[in-house]
Amino acid sequence: MRKRQIVKHSIALVTMLVCVCCLLILIVTVLKLPDAQTKNNEMGFQFNPKIRSRKVSLQGVSLGKFGEMMVDMLPQDLAFTVFVPSEEAFKRDLHLRVNDSLKSDRFNDTYAIVSRVLGFSAVSRALSSDTVRFGELVSYDSVSGFPLYIAKDIDGMLVVNRIRSEIVDVRKKEIVVHVIDGVIMDADFEQSVLSDDTEEED
């Protein structure tokens, strides 16, 4: 009888010790997590000393005519994020040039193209570079339903669908603007742009 009781007590004691050890490991792990995040953030700031200097208001940045046109299409009192192609990207990827694309005979076509690009590039929420952590990939649907995959580069610049930003966190009222070196578009729209180019060359 005593042997059985001793065995039962031994098993209960070992089980209790294992549970207490697991609990201690869990508590230590949970308490250590904030320290790890702080170290990562500090490391990020060591690598990225110029991140804050790139955050500016719209008054200090020229988005170009097409970029301004995109931003003006959005309601100013609602939170939006828009990835605006640079003036060079509009010229290179869409062949839009301020001198001829905004003339009265081509304005409607230009406006339609820019509004289509806006549909691919705008997200109905404010998304600054601070909300994306280095090393993680976040996904949002644009206002047209096109998926946007956003990451942060080592220098604090955002990368959306493999297109790198040149300027981040430009604000116009409730709208956050990131200027990117390319145009976000789906395959159909890209194909139509390419076919327009071939027609022009012919």
Side-chain angles (χ1 to χ4, degrees):
M1 252 336 236
R2 276 190 172 180
K3 281 185 180 179
R4 283 183 186 172
Q5 284 182 348
I6 290 170
V7 169
K8 282 183 183 177
H9 287 303
S10 298
I11 292 170
L13 185 63
V14 169
T15 308
M16 206 181 209
L17 282 171
V18 169
C19 289
V20 168
C21 287
C22 289
L23 188 63
L24 284 172
I25 290 169
L26 187 65
I27 289 169
V28 169
T29 306
V30 169
L31 291 175
K32 285 273 184 182
L33 281 177
D35 293 340
Q37 283 182 342
T38 307
K39 284 174 189 171
N40 286 344
N41 287 342
E42 284 168 5
M43 243 166 95
F45 283 120
Q46 285 170 1
F47 281 117
N48 310 326
K50 296 181 182 176
I51 291 175
R52 293 185 187 277
S53 66
R54 298 188 185 182
K55 297 173 187 173
V56 287
S57 71
L58 193 55
Q59 294 171 350
V61 172
S62 171
L63 300 178
K65 290 287 184 188
F66 304 117
E68 286 170 14
M69 190 187 291
M70 276 178 76
V71 174
D72 289 342
M73 289 177 189
L74 294 168
Q76 306 296 307
D77 56 341
L78 295 177
F80 277 94
T81 300
V82 59
F83 296 93
V84 173
S86 64
E87 196 76 29
E88 181 57 36
F90 272 113
K91 192 192 308 182
R92 181 187 65 228
D93 300 342
L94 297 175
H95 305 284
L96 293 180
R97 290 170 182 79
V98 175
N99 293 341
D100 25 274
S101 299
L102 293 176
K103 288 180 179 173
S104 55
D105 57 328
R106 296 190 61 191
F107 183 82
N108 289 340
D109 292 339
T110 302
Y111 191 88
I113 291 169
V114 172
S115 63
R116 188 83 190 274
V117 171
L118 176 66
F120 296 128
S121 309
V123 177
S124 56
R125 60 173 290 158
L127 182 68
S128 69
S129 62
D130 289 337
T131 58
V132 181
R133 293 181 184 175
F134 174 69
E136 79 173 350
L137 183 71
V138 294
S139 173
Y140 295 99
D141 283 343
S142 69
V143 292
S144 69
F146 187 69
L148 301 179
Y149 301 100
I150 305 158
K152 184 187 274 187
D153 215 340
I154 196 165
D155 62 352
M157 294 289 100
L158 294 180
V159 179
V160 55
N161 292 19
R162 298 183 182 175
I163 302 172
R164 197 169 188 282
S165 58
E166 296 179 343
I167 302 168
V168 295
D169 301 333
V170 179
R171 286 213 168 248
K172 182 176 184 182
K173 295 186 179 175
E174 297 299 313
I175 300 171
V176 181
V177 180
H178 306 293
V179 180
I180 58 174
D181 183 32
V183 180
I184 300 168
M185 50 187 161
D186 68 6
D188 292 339
F189 184 66
E190 186 174 6
Q191 194 60 45
S192 72
V193 169
L194 291 173
S195 63
D196 286 350
D197 294 343
T198 5
E199 283 172 17
E200 280 177 18
E201 285 170 13
D202 295 343

